[in-house]
């Protein structure tokens, strides 16, 4: 969803073509597309993409084919469509869908193990982790789009040795490197999809940062899981990568024979054959000082989605197996996508071993957790020699101080790319 920056235009859908956005509202007005692709382009002219998602992936696929063919050099529609291209440098984005509900999962067994060691050193994984895609219900209204700024949250916490908790600004604001998907063509209440249908109910992948505050998380999480530690801000990237585009990067989804195999409702030959995807991921951290001296962000993590323990098809299947009815435009988050090695950890709590070992940045600064003014940039891409390289764009967010001045902006003029454009 985009509009020209600084205008009062309506937000509408767009497709990334090189460094431009193809304006789907302008394309619809040309009246060149009909049938399924015509319906798909009309749906994308609305202020959010829920209707597009409800049409299902077949409509998205038809639109993709129609646009690719119409933009092809020499196509009769090429000149008209070229006039619908807007430079990405001139646009601003909005959250892609009108979001009703939001669930976030916990799909990195490496993160779950590293994190669990703090509480259960001898048996870090919950007994049900390898049987159930674990998730929690997040808050949808505080989901924002890349470029946003949010305020350091305050919360109640108990200091070590103190008798009573106090209300104070969080000292442990953290990032979470995740991928998200939107649900498309949801299921009716009481009528779960099957695992064979589940992947086709997933509308593309995007970068997601589930900002978290670790001090209140430890204080509040038992027995019902995270609440205020997670609901103050979530940033998502504006660009969604559909599954067709990711097809060249599919990998087998394997389970160690030492692990429990998924129950039949979570298992499918097609999922075992190619349920995983090689998506490269990295996290950049840019401090106020780096901004003032023109330095690039420090890369603090590099990992891949291939390390996920559950696929999104399994997560969605589990979500609705009891009859629950996710709706078009509801996001599912993967949870932190840490790999097995320490420098593949997708959150500061893991990178600093719970705030014990400071993370050294590329200048002489270091971090345990985020400080005021820090900007975090998630990046994702797929690349190999025999396929087209695909980028996921940026997912950027900035932490303000606890007392943001009245009238302070909700978005800073942070460059779209704050490091090498991978
Ligand atoms: Ca999370």
């Amino acid at each position: 969803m985009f509009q020209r920056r600084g205008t009062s235009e309506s937000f509408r859908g767009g497709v990334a073509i090189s460094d431009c956005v193809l304006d789907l509202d302008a394309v619809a007005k040309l009246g060149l597309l009909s049938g399924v692709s015509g319906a798909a382009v009309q749906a994308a002219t609305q202020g959010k993409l829920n209707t597009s998602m409800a049409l299902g992936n077949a409509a998205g696929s038809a639109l993709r084919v129609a646009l690719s063919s119409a933009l092809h050099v020499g196509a009769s529609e090429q000149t008209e469509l070229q006039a619908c291209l807007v430079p990405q440098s001139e646009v601003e984005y909005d959250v892609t869908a009108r979001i009703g509900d939001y669930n976030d999962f916990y799909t990195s067994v490496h993160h779950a193990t590293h994190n669990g060691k703090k509480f259960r050193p001898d048996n870090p994984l919950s007994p049900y982790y390898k049987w159930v895609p674990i998730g929690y219900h997040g808050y949808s209204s505080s989901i924002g789009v890349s470029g946003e700024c949010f305020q350091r949250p305050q919360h109640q916490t108990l200091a070590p040795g103190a008798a009573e908790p106090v209300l104070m600004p969080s000292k442990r604001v953290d990032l979470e490197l995740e991928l998200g998907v939107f649900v498309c063509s949801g299921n009716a209440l009481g009528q779960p999809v099957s695992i064979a249908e589940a992947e086709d109910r997933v509308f593309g992948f995007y970068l997601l940062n589930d900002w978290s505050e670790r001090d209140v998380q430890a204080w509040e999480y038992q027995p019902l899981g995270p609440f205020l530690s997670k609901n103050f801000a979530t940033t998502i990237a504006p660009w969604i990568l559909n599954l067709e585009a990711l097809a060249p990067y599919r990998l087998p989804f394997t389970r160690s024979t030492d692990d429990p195999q998924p129950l039949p409702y979570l298992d499918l030959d097609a999922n075992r054959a190619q349920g995983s995807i090689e998506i490269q991921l990295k996290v950049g951290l840019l401090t106020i000082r780096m901004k003032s001296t023109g330095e690039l962000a420090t890369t603090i993590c590099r990992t891949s989605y291939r390390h996920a323990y559950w696929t999104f098809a399994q997560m969605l299947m589990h979500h609705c197996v009891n009859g629950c009815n996710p709706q078009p435009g509801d996001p599912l988050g993967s949870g932190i996508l840490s790999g097995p090695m320490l420098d593949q950890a997708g959150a500061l709590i893991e990178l600093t071993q719970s705030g014990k070992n400071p993370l050294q940045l590329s200048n002489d600064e270091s971090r345990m957790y985020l400080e005021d003014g820090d900007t975090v940039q998630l990046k994702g891409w797929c690349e190999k020699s025999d396929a087209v390289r695909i980028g996921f764009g940026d997912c950027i967010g900035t932490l303000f101080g606890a007392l943001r001045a009245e009238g302070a902006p909700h978005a800073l003029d942070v460059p779209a790319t704050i490091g090498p454009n991978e």
Side-chain angles (χ1 to χ4, degrees):
M1 303 306 306
F2 80 99
Q3 67 176 17
R4 283 185 177 77
R5 185 181 299 128
T7 69
S8 55
E9 294 176 345
S10 300
F11 281 97
R12 64 273 193 187
V15 175
I17 303 289
S18 186
D19 57 357
C20 290
V21 187
L22 183 68
D23 180 344
L24 293 182
D25 184 60
V27 173
K29 288 192 169 79
L30 292 176
L32 298 171
L33 305 181
S34 59
V36 178
S37 58
V41 79
Q42 278 297 338
T45 65
Q46 301 176 14
K48 296 286 184 185
L49 284 188
N50 298 66
T51 306
S52 302
M53 294 173 190
L55 288 175
N57 281 322
S61 177
L63 180 59
R64 187 164 183 261
V65 170
L67 293 178
S68 176
S69 128
L71 278 164
H72 203 270
V73 174
S76 57
E77 306 93 336
Q78 189 198 358
T79 308
E80 278 182 289
L81 279 198
Q82 272 186 331
C84 304
L85 293 170
V86 183
Q88 287 185 25
S89 57
E90 295 175 12
V91 308
E92 59 189 343
Y93 302 102
D94 194 12
V95 174
T96 329
R98 188 176 53 259
I99 295 170
D101 279 300
Y102 157 47
N103 284 308
D104 198 22
F105 285 83
Y106 198 48
T107 193
S108 167
V109 70
H110 306 293
H111 171 68
T113 303
H114 295 155
N115 202 37
K117 276 183 182 163
K118 289 186 312 219
F119 305 104
R120 302 170 295 275
D122 299 330
N123 192 17
L125 271 190
S126 307
Y128 41 87
Y129 184 88
K130 292 184 173 178
W131 294 100
V132 175
I134 295 171
Y136 74 93
H137 196 174
Y139 202 65
S140 52
S141 299
S142 54
I143 296 177
V145 76
S146 180
E148 72 168 341
C149 304
F150 63 94
Q151 192 165 307
R152 180 179 292 274
Q154 60 175 351
H155 61 85
Q156 184 192 124
T157 194
L158 184 70
E164 292 183 356
V166 292
L167 183 70
M168 59 186 295
S170 171
K171 292 180 176 172
R172 298 181 181 181
V173 178
D174 200 354
L175 63 105
E176 293 195 346
L177 166 64
E178 303 193 19
L179 286 166
V181 299
F182 285 109
V183 174
C184 65
S185 51
N187 57 290
L189 184 63
Q191 296 175 25
V193 300
S194 70
I195 184 70
E197 300 166 293
E199 186 169 286
D200 202 37
R201 304 297 179 107
V202 163
F203 189 86
F205 281 57
Y206 49 89
L207 297 165
L208 183 153
N209 190 342
D210 178 31
W211 307 97
S212 299
E213 45 173 331
R214 302 301 181 193
D215 21 25
V216 74
Q217 189 172 350
W219 178 233
E220 73 172 4
Y221 87 107
Q222 290 182 323
L224 291 183
F227 181 33
L228 300 190
S229 55
K230 299 284 192 175
N231 68 6
F232 57 96
T234 303
T235 306
I236 62 175
W239 296 110
I240 305 172
L241 281 289
N242 65 26
L243 285 162
E244 277 187 332
L246 298 171
Y249 299 96
R250 303 297 293 245
L251 296 170
F253 180 80
T254 54
R255 266 291 153 79
S256 161
T257 49
D258 298 334
D259 281 356
Q261 298 306 298
L263 289 182
Y265 82 98
L266 295 171
D267 202 5
L268 187 71
D269 286 347
N271 198 48
R272 286 177 183 256
Q274 55 161 21
S276 187
I277 312 176
E278 180 72 276
I279 301 174
Q280 307 291 329
L281 299 163
K282 80 170 189 178
V283 180
L285 177 58
L286 193 71
T287 68
I288 285 183
R289 221 170 87 195
M290 291 174 186
K291 292 173 201 175
S292 66
T293 55
E295 292 169 79
L296 296 177
T298 298
T299 297
I300 60 173
C301 159
R302 290 185 85 121
T303 184
S304 166
Y305 173 64
R306 71 185 302 170
H307 301 300
Y309 196 78
W310 298 100
T311 67
F312 274 109
Q314 289 171 321
M315 291 186 258
L316 177 58
M317 181 63 233
H318 183 68
H319 187 337
C320 68
V321 71
N322 64 348
C324 181
N325 52 340
Q327 294 299 297
D330 287 352
L332 307 181
S334 62
I336 302 175
L337 289 170
S338 299
M341 310 305 292
L342 180 61
D343 61 359
Q344 295 174 318
L348 289 169
I349 190 171
E350 233 181 301
L351 290 165
T352 67
Q353 287 138 334
S354 303
K356 293 191 188 71
N357 298 318
L359 187 68
Q360 194 60 48
L361 304 182
S362 52
N363 55 13
D364 60 355
E365 293 180 282
S366 63
R367 286 291 182 275
M368 292 291 197
Y369 291 95
L370 296 174
E371 296 190 5
D372 292 350
D374 283 353
T375 295
V376 174
Q377 176 195 43
L378 311 185
K379 292 197 76 81
W381 69 97
C382 297
E383 187 167 35
K384 63 178 184 176
S385 59
D386 57 347
V388 174
R389 184 188 183 285
I390 313 170
F392 280 64
D394 291 304
C395 181
I396 296 175
T398 299
L399 173 66
F400 265 126
L403 298 174
R404 188 173 64 191
E406 198 173 334
H410 285 274
L412 286 179
D413 192 17
V414 178
T417 291
I418 56 173
N421 189 8
E422 293 174 290

